[in-house]
Amino acid sequence: MKVLVIGASGIIGSAVAAAFAQHQVIRASFSKSDISVDVANPESVRALFDKVGKVDAVLSAAGQAAFGPLRDLSDADFAYSLANKLMGQVNLVRYGIDFVTDGGSFVLCSGVVSRRPMAGGAALSLVNAGLDGFVRSAALELPRRQRINAVSPGWVAETLAAMGRDPRVGTPAATVANAYYQAATGTMTGRVLDVPAL
Amino acid sequence: MKVLVIGASGIIGSAVAAAFAQHQVIRASFSKSDISVDVANPESVRALFDKVGKVDAVLSAAGQAAFGPLRDLSDADFAYSLANKLMGQVNLVRYGIDFVTDGGSFVLCSGVVSRRPMAGGAALSLVNAGLDGFVRSAALELPRRQRINAVSPGWVAETLAAMGRDPRVGTPAATVANAYYQAATGTMTGRVLDVPAL
């Protein structure tokens, strides 16, 4: 398979790229990969596909959203979250359809806060749950046997370690990447893969 | 109770206003109510609260989202859906917090397409699921014992009838309105009320 990993320089994205080591991997991210893309900029997303051409899977570990107390989240914080992690990934699908091969697939990244809310996560819950909803419906309409799924990771061990917190309560990035691999190489569609399942 | 119904001229909104007939009801909608508000316009939402003042419940049956084949939904269709039904209702909460009394509540309107996807519903699934996610997290942070819930209706019988379809497969608007009443007068918070539950 030829796979395009967006957010490839991040903790999850680099693990996803490693999981597909037996395949042809094209790495894209905001600043630290072979190809630069700003998912929040529709023109940048369109240019990405024009540059990369046909792929068998679009694997997104990209997108930022604001985190903080509800009363402190500004109009700009919500707009940033919607444009970046939410519509950035939705646009990877919308603009990518014509570049994905027959039977190819999309895997997007949502997150546990959609189903397990937390203080400070109002914008992130909105974004993650919105992505899950989009995936469920878009799966019904993709052409040429294309599939779409979301991986919804909990806290990632390596992220916790980078934050100086106990990584043992998190999920290893390699485990999250395995869910991407199963989604891209399996037959499922319209699914939200909770990693871990709890 | 003094309640503010937004979208009060619509099929669900007018049923919600009727359900609170024993209370003081302030009706707002885009064009056909005592008070005019455009939920997609943040300044209009702020002006609404400045005009209305303190209320015990903000009951939203407002907001539009685009519906149509995924390939036909434009950038503008997604932007409209996000600004209107999604952020319009999120902003009713963000801007309304200081105008809702201690122990008062918000009730937002999402919809069944968040959990039961349908072709043509990619933007609507995103919006409805996003609202459900926002409600779950915002409930953890509202001050002064304020509560927030979403009512997630299926197809409404009166809407189906207006479309020339069989209303018997839908849920009566009065049943949907009853969920708003239970949410506003009960003790629940952070809940998504599926009406019907199936």
Side-chain angles (χ1 to χ4, degrees):
Chain A
M1 289 205 300
K2 179 179 173 185
V3 305
L4 171 60
V5 179
I6 302 105
S9 63
I11 286 172
I12 292 177
S14 56
V16 170
F20 285 82
Q22 307 300 317
H23 300 270
Q24 180 183 354
V25 178
I26 302 166
R27 292 171 174 77
S29 62
F30 187 73
S31 63
K32 295 177 190 160
S33 297
D34 301 336
I35 301 177
S36 177
V37 62
D38 176 6
V39 295
N41 178 347
E43 289 314 307
S44 179
V45 174
R46 290 190 189 278
L48 169 68
F49 287 112
D50 287 337
K51 184 175 298 182
V52 170
K54 289 278 183 183
V55 295
D56 299 302
V58 174
L59 310 173
S60 171
Q64 305 287 323
F67 191 88
L70 176 60
R71 297 302 295 265
D72 295 346
L73 290 171
S74 65
D75 293 351
D77 287 329
F78 275 94
Y80 173 82
S81 304
L82 294 177
N84 203 301
K85 186 172 184 180
L86 181 56
M87 287 307 300
Q89 294 195 90
V90 167
N91 288 341
L92 285 172
V93 179
R94 296 175 57 228
Y95 304 160
I97 288 176
D98 291 335
F99 295 89
V100 168
T101 54
D102 295 6
S105 82
F106 298 89
V107 186
L108 305 188
C109 188
S110 61
V112 67
V113 183
S114 63
R115 62 187 189 282
R116 278 196 279 157
M118 62 187 297
L124 192 57
S125 286
L126 183 165
V127 165
N128 288 347
L131 286 164
D132 293 347
F134 174 77
V135 162
R136 284 189 286 267
S137 266
L140 304 179
E141 298 192 55
L142 291 178
R144 298 183 281 106
R145 295 174 291 104
Q146 289 177 359
R147 298 176 299 105
I148 181 170
N149 296 283
V151 171
S152 182
W155 285 97
V156 173
E158 290 87 339
T159 305
L160 291 171
M163 296 165 70
R165 293 174 54 188
D166 184 353
R168 292 174 299 176
V169 300
T171 304
T175 303
V176 178
N178 183 52
Y180 279 78
Y181 193 84
Q182 293 187 49
T185 60
T187 58
M188 67 187 86
T189 192
R191 291 275 305 278
V192 177
L193 306 181
D194 298 330
V195 187
L198 57 86
Chain B
M1 288 203 300
K2 180 179 174 186
V3 304
L4 170 61
V5 179
I6 301 105
S9 63
I11 286 173
I12 293 176
S14 56
V16 170
F20 286 82
Q22 307 299 319
H23 299 272
Q24 181 183 353
V25 179
I26 302 167
R27 291 171 174 78
S29 62
F30 187 72
S31 63
K32 296 177 189 160
S33 296
D34 300 336
I35 301 178
S36 177
V37 62
D38 176 7
V39 294
N41 178 346
E43 288 315 307
S44 179
V45 173
R46 290 189 189 278
L48 170 69
F49 286 112
D50 286 336
K51 186 175 299 183
V52 170
K54 289 276 184 185
V55 296
D56 299 301
V58 174
L59 310 173
S60 171
Q64 306 286 323
F67 190 89
L70 177 59
R71 297 302 295 267
D72 296 346
L73 291 171
S74 64
D75 293 351
D77 287 330
F78 275 94
Y80 173 81
S81 305
L82 294 177
N84 204 300
K85 186 172 184 180
L86 181 55
M87 287 306 300
Q89 294 194 90
V90 167
N91 287 342
L92 284 172
V93 178
R94 295 175 58 229
Y95 304 159
I97 287 175
D98 290 335
F99 295 89
V100 168
T101 53
D102 294 8
S105 82
F106 298 88
V107 186
L108 305 188
C109 188
S110 62
V112 66
V113 183
S114 63
R115 62 187 189 281
R116 279 195 280 157
M118 63 187 297
L124 192 57
S125 287
L126 182 164
V127 165
N128 289 347
L131 286 164
D132 293 347
F134 174 77
V135 162
R136 284 190 285 267
S137 266
L140 304 178
E141 299 191 56
L142 290 178
R144 297 183 282 107
R145 295 175 289 105
Q146 290 177 356
R147 298 176 300 105
I148 180 171
N149 296 284
V151 171
S152 182
W155 285 96
V156 173
E158 289 87 340
T159 305
L160 292 171
M163 296 166 70
R165 293 172 56 187
D166 184 352
R168 291 174 300 178
V169 300
T171 305
T175 303
V176 178
N178 183 51
Y180 279 79
Y181 194 84
Q182 292 186 50
T185 60
T187 57
M188 67 186 86
T189 192
R191 291 275 305 278
V192 177
L193 306 181
D194 299 330
V195 187
L198 56 87

